[in-house]
Every structure is written in C-alpha cells, then in structure tokens.
C-alpha cells in the first residue's frame, strides 16, 4: 500500500514531505479597463474606429499568447509554509503609500 506522495512547492521548488503542511492556491489575474482611450474616436464613426483597432493589432508585433496573458492569467498549485509567509506579507502590505512600479 502506498501513501500520499510528496508535493513540490510551485514557488521555490522545495519538496514538501507527505506528512508536512502545505497550502493550495489559485490565482487569477484579469485585465480590466474602465475607460476607452479618447483618441479612439468611437463617437465619430465606430466602424472606422474598430477597423483601425483591428489594423493596429494585425500590424503589431505582439505575440497573441502574450496579448491573451495580459487579459487573463491563472495559476494554481501548492506552496510550502515559507512561501506562504512571503505571499501573505506581500498581499497584506498596505498599498496606500506605495509608489507605482
């Protein structure tokens, strides 16, 4: 009979023993935008604005996968106790006086 297998921390790569505490996580980042760019003249002629947007996307050098990742990215897995502590510190930090990245 075989018991539970050891797990690997998704952050640091440490092996988490089968008897050790581990933490499951699921992280979803979804891009949103509340206002459209005023330079996109949607009120003047929406069809032309849409055509211009499609043309810029077709002519751009952006990788479609990267563009998709900018809108939706998700990851799940398990982490060890040490990485949980780091994540909790990072996510609980007050952002009121934080400078932009």
């Amino acid at each position: 009979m075989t018991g539970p297998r050891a797990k690997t921390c998704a952050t640091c790569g440490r092996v988490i023993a089968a008897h050790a505490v581990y933490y499951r996580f699921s992280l979803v980042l979804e891009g949103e935008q509340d206002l459209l760019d005023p330079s996109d003249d949607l009120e003047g002629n929406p069809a032309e604005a849409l055509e211009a947007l499609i043309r810029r996307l077709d002519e751009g050098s952006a990788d479609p996968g990267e563009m998709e990742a900018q809108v939706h990215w998700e990851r799940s897995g398990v982490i060890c106790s040490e990485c949980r502590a780091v994540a909790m510190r990072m996510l609980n930090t007050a952002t009121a006086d934080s400078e932009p990245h």
Side-chain angles (χ1 to χ4, degrees), residues 7-16 22-23 25 75 77-84:
K7 295 173 178 35
T8 303
C9 178
T11 301
C12 69
R14 288 185 199 138
V15 174
I16 304 168
Y22 62 92
Y23 300 87
F25 73 91
R75 185 169 179 198
V78 296
I79 56 175
C80 65
S81 298
E82 291 85 359
C83 289
R84 177 192 177 272

Side-chain angles (χ1 to χ4, degrees), residues 1-6 18:
M1 182 169 114
T2 336
R5 295 185 343 197

Side-chain angles (χ1 to χ4, degrees), residues 26 45 84:
S26 179
N45 187 340
R84 177 192 177 272

Side-chain angles (χ1 to χ4, degrees), residues 54-71:
I54 291 171
R55 193 169 38 257
R56 283 196 313 258
L57 291 172
D58 285 342
E59 293 170 357
S61 60
D63 173 38
E66 174 60 27
M67 291 174 68
E68 181 180 342
Q70 290 179 16
V71 176

Side-chain angles (χ1 to χ4, degrees), residues 40-42 45-58:
D40 293 337
D41 186 18
L42 295 177
N45 187 340
E48 285 181 12
L50 183 57
E51 286 176 24
L53 174 62
I54 291 171
R55 193 169 38 257
R56 283 196 313 258
L57 291 172
D58 285 342

